[in-house]
Amino acid sequence: EVQLVESGGGLVQPGGSLRLSCAASGFTFSNYWMTWVRQAPGKGLEWVANIKQDGSEKYYVDSVKGRFTISRDNAKNSLYLQMNSLRAEDTAVYYCARVECSTSCYLDYWGQGTLVTVSS
Amino acid sequence: DIQMTQSPSSLSASVGDRVTITCRASQGINNYLAWYQQKPGKVPKVLIYDASTLQSGVPSRFSGSGSGTDFTLTISGLQPEDVATYYCQKYNSVPWTFGQGTKVEIK
């Protein structure tokens, strides 16, 4: 059974940093693109970042470029999101998701999410 | 960047009704579009990818169509368990933008 479990969320002051983790199991992690998607309270979904299977390609939404870094450790079946210079508008539930990218690309499994609150 | 615009933002329909949600891309995205369902308090779930391919296990009352810039998600016979917010997402190129969502309620 595919499982994605996020951790690392919490309350942080503006300008602070946080590192999110996503532990994957039930599939060959190194075979898949992975992604982070966030959802501000009461708002819609926002794609944040993607990372290729071997970590050689990474893509970000403009609003987090230069502040967030997506990474992975295939030996540990883990995905990460390092978030620096956090702003109030980064407050959201952060989901990691597996990207099924055979003939097309879509997010077929999602974690339960971890809440990040940026506030003083 | 390509913008994704859904309409309506919300709708209320009766059980058994046919419901149609539209997603429009500001530029052509071929058929690189997925639809997700997010029930209240739950994690999003993919319903359709490649604009019209039904994900395994998704009820056949859900269908998708379109290509280029205009896409639709249709629920043929709305059920109480379909109460949710529905999102389209493009994946032809980054950023993988979502639409703003359509909230579906039962009348």
Side-chain angles (χ1 to χ4, degrees), chain B residues 18-89:
Chain B
R18 181 184 179 93
V19 169
T20 299
I21 299 168
T22 296
C23 178
R24 175 164 290 174
S26 58
Q27 298 175 40
I29 59 170
N30 202 330
N31 67 332
Y32 296 120
L33 185 103
W35 289 96
Y36 297 87
Q37 175 195 62
Q38 186 177 31
K39 295 183 177 181
K42 300 297 185 182
V43 173
K45 165 189 165 182
V46 63
L47 298 175
I48 287 166
Y49 59 92
D50 287 351
S52 61
T53 302
L54 198 66
Q55 172 71 333
S56 175
V58 174
S60 59
R61 63 180 178 274
F62 291 94
S63 63
S65 64
S67 184
T69 60
D70 295 311
F71 303 87
T72 58
L73 172 69
T74 300
I75 309 173
S76 301
L78 185 67
Q79 298 300 306
E81 60 266 32
D82 300 334
V83 168
T85 301
Y86 294 84
Y87 297 91
C88 62
Q89 184 203 22

Side-chain angles (χ1 to χ4, degrees), chain A residues 80-95:
Chain A
Y80 305 102
L81 187 67
Q82 177 67 44
M83 304 185 295
N84 299 329
S85 303
L86 282 160
R87 306 167 179 166
E89 54 265 35
D90 296 319
T91 294
V93 173
Y94 285 73
Y95 297 101

Side-chain angles (χ1 to χ4, degrees), chain A residues 4 33-37 79 95-99 107 109-111:
Chain A
L4 298 168
W33 282 77
M34 296 295 294
T35 194
W36 288 98
V37 173
L79 176 72
Y95 297 101
C96 71
R98 189 179 84 167
V99 183
L107 311 184
Y109 287 94
W110 298 59

Side-chain angles (χ1 to χ4, degrees), chain A:
Chain A
E1 179 193 5
V2 172
Q3 283 199 321
L4 298 168
V5 180
E6 301 94 337
S7 60
L11 175 63
V12 61
Q13 292 188 339
S17 298
L18 215 53
R19 189 197 197 203
L20 306 183
S21 299
C22 172
S25 61
F27 65 102
T28 304
F29 181 71
S30 58
N31 286 353
Y32 290 85
W33 282 77
M34 296 295 294
T35 194
W36 288 98
V37 173
R38 67 184 178 182
Q39 186 168 34
K43 302 297 184 183
L45 302 172
E46 181 181 35
W47 170 79
V48 174
N50 280 356
I51 186 168
K52 195 176 179 179
Q53 291 93 328
D54 61 359
S56 61
E57 294 182 36
K58 304 174 184 181
Y59 302 97
Y60 302 91
V61 67
D62 282 350
S63 60
V64 309
K65 281 180 184 174
R67 301 188 300 122
F68 289 13
T69 301
I70 188 172
S71 63
R72 65 192 296 161
D73 185 335
N74 288 341
K76 295 183 178 180
N77 292 333
S78 293
L79 176 72
Y80 305 102
L81 187 67
Q82 177 67 44
M83 304 185 295
N84 299 329
S85 303
L86 282 160
R87 306 167 179 166
E89 54 265 35
D90 296 319
T91 294
V93 173
Y94 285 73
Y95 297 101
C96 71
R98 189 179 84 167
V99 183
E100 173 56 58
C101 222
S102 48
T103 56
S104 63
C105 292
Y106 56 94
L107 311 184
D108 62 348
Y109 287 94
W110 298 59
Q112 290 300 308
T114 186
L115 176 63
V116 172
T117 304
V118 184
S119 174
S120 53

